[in-house]
Short mmCIF file of all heavy atoms in Angstrom, two decimals:
data_model
loop_
_atom_site.label_atom_id
_atom_site.label_comp_id
_atom_site.label_asym_id
_atom_site.label_seq_id
_atom_site.Cartn_x
_atom_site.Cartn_y
_atom_site.Cartn_z
N TYR A 68 1.89 153.94 -81.15
CA TYR A 68 2.64 152.87 -81.66
C TYR A 68 2.36 152.74 -83.10
O TYR A 68 1.49 153.41 -83.65
CB TYR A 68 2.41 151.49 -80.90
CG TYR A 68 1.01 150.79 -81.23
CD1 TYR A 68 0.89 149.90 -82.19
CD2 TYR A 68 -0.16 151.24 -80.55
CE1 TYR A 68 -0.22 149.21 -82.49
CE2 TYR A 68 -1.35 150.66 -80.95
CZ TYR A 68 -1.45 149.67 -81.82
OH TYR A 68 -2.55 149.10 -82.14
N ILE A 69 3.22 151.94 -83.83
CA ILE A 69 2.96 151.84 -85.29
C ILE A 69 2.64 150.34 -85.54
O ILE A 69 3.09 149.42 -84.90
CB ILE A 69 4.28 152.26 -86.09
CG1 ILE A 69 5.55 151.51 -85.70
CG2 ILE A 69 4.34 153.81 -85.91
CD1 ILE A 69 6.69 151.96 -86.73
N ARG A 70 2.05 150.19 -86.73
CA ARG A 70 1.72 148.85 -87.27
C ARG A 70 1.84 148.86 -88.66
O ARG A 70 1.54 149.90 -89.26
CB ARG A 70 0.54 148.18 -86.72
CG ARG A 70 -0.71 148.96 -87.14
CD ARG A 70 -2.01 148.23 -86.71
NE ARG A 70 -3.14 149.16 -86.79
CZ ARG A 70 -4.12 149.28 -85.91
NH1 ARG A 70 -4.09 148.36 -84.90
NH2 ARG A 70 -5.04 150.07 -86.05
N GLU A 71 2.23 147.81 -89.27
CA GLU A 71 2.30 147.84 -90.77
C GLU A 71 0.96 147.94 -91.41
O GLU A 71 0.02 147.39 -90.83
CB GLU A 71 2.95 146.58 -91.35
CG GLU A 71 4.52 146.61 -91.10
CD GLU A 71 5.11 145.16 -91.71
OE1 GLU A 71 5.16 145.21 -92.90
OE2 GLU A 71 5.58 144.40 -90.93
N LEU A 72 0.91 148.67 -92.51
CA LEU A 72 -0.43 148.90 -93.05
C LEU A 72 -1.05 147.66 -93.68
O LEU A 72 -2.23 147.39 -93.52
CB LEU A 72 -0.30 149.93 -94.29
CG LEU A 72 -0.06 151.38 -93.71
CD1 LEU A 72 0.14 152.42 -94.79
CD2 LEU A 72 -1.45 151.83 -93.02
N ALA A 73 -0.25 146.82 -94.22
CA ALA A 73 -0.74 145.52 -94.91
C ALA A 73 -0.58 144.32 -93.82
O ALA A 73 -0.98 143.30 -94.25
CB ALA A 73 -0.08 145.19 -96.23
N GLY A 74 -0.03 144.56 -92.74
CA GLY A 74 0.38 143.42 -91.90
C GLY A 74 -0.84 143.11 -91.05
O GLY A 74 -1.84 143.76 -90.89
N SER A 75 -0.63 142.01 -90.32
CA SER A 75 -1.64 141.53 -89.41
C SER A 75 -1.25 142.07 -87.92
O SER A 75 0.05 142.31 -87.68
CB SER A 75 -1.49 139.91 -89.38
OG SER A 75 -2.26 139.50 -88.30
N ASP A 76 -2.22 142.18 -87.16
CA ASP A 76 -2.00 142.64 -85.80
C ASP A 76 -1.49 141.50 -84.90
O ASP A 76 -0.79 141.82 -83.84
CB ASP A 76 -3.28 143.17 -85.09
CG ASP A 76 -3.60 144.56 -85.46
OD1 ASP A 76 -2.67 145.22 -86.00
OD2 ASP A 76 -4.64 145.09 -85.22
N THR A 77 -1.57 140.25 -85.32
CA THR A 77 -1.23 139.20 -84.53
C THR A 77 0.06 138.55 -85.12
O THR A 77 0.16 138.15 -86.15
CB THR A 77 -2.35 138.13 -84.41
OG1 THR A 77 -3.48 138.66 -83.97
CG2 THR A 77 -1.94 136.98 -83.46
N ASN A 78 1.11 138.59 -84.25
CA ASN A 78 2.35 138.02 -84.61
C ASN A 78 2.87 137.22 -83.48
O ASN A 78 2.24 137.35 -82.35
CB ASN A 78 3.34 138.99 -85.28
CG ASN A 78 3.58 140.13 -84.33
OD1 ASN A 78 3.62 139.99 -83.12
ND2 ASN A 78 3.78 141.28 -84.91
N GLU A 79 4.05 136.70 -83.54
CA GLU A 79 4.64 135.90 -82.43
C GLU A 79 4.87 136.87 -81.22
O GLU A 79 4.65 136.56 -80.02
CB GLU A 79 5.93 135.26 -82.75
CG GLU A 79 6.54 134.32 -81.79
CD GLU A 79 7.55 133.48 -82.28
OE1 GLU A 79 7.74 133.09 -83.31
OE2 GLU A 79 8.39 133.19 -81.38
N ALA A 80 5.44 138.07 -81.47
CA ALA A 80 5.60 139.08 -80.40
C ALA A 80 4.34 139.51 -79.65
O ALA A 80 4.32 139.47 -78.43
CB ALA A 80 6.44 140.37 -80.89
N THR A 81 3.38 139.59 -80.52
CA THR A 81 2.03 140.04 -79.85
C THR A 81 1.58 138.91 -78.97
O THR A 81 1.06 139.15 -77.73
CB THR A 81 1.04 140.32 -80.89
OG1 THR A 81 1.52 141.42 -81.65
CG2 THR A 81 -0.30 140.74 -80.29
N ILE A 82 1.66 137.62 -79.29
CA ILE A 82 1.18 136.41 -78.59
C ILE A 82 1.98 136.33 -77.31
O ILE A 82 1.43 136.03 -76.25
CB ILE A 82 1.34 135.22 -79.46
CG1 ILE A 82 0.24 135.15 -80.61
CG2 ILE A 82 1.17 133.99 -78.58
CD1 ILE A 82 0.48 134.21 -81.78
#
Side-chain angles (χ1 to χ4, degrees):
Y68 71 98
I69 59 171
R70 63 177 163 218
E71 285 188 69
L72 285 173
S75 166
D76 275 350
T77 305
N78 58 35
E79 190 171 326
T81 303
I82 291 168

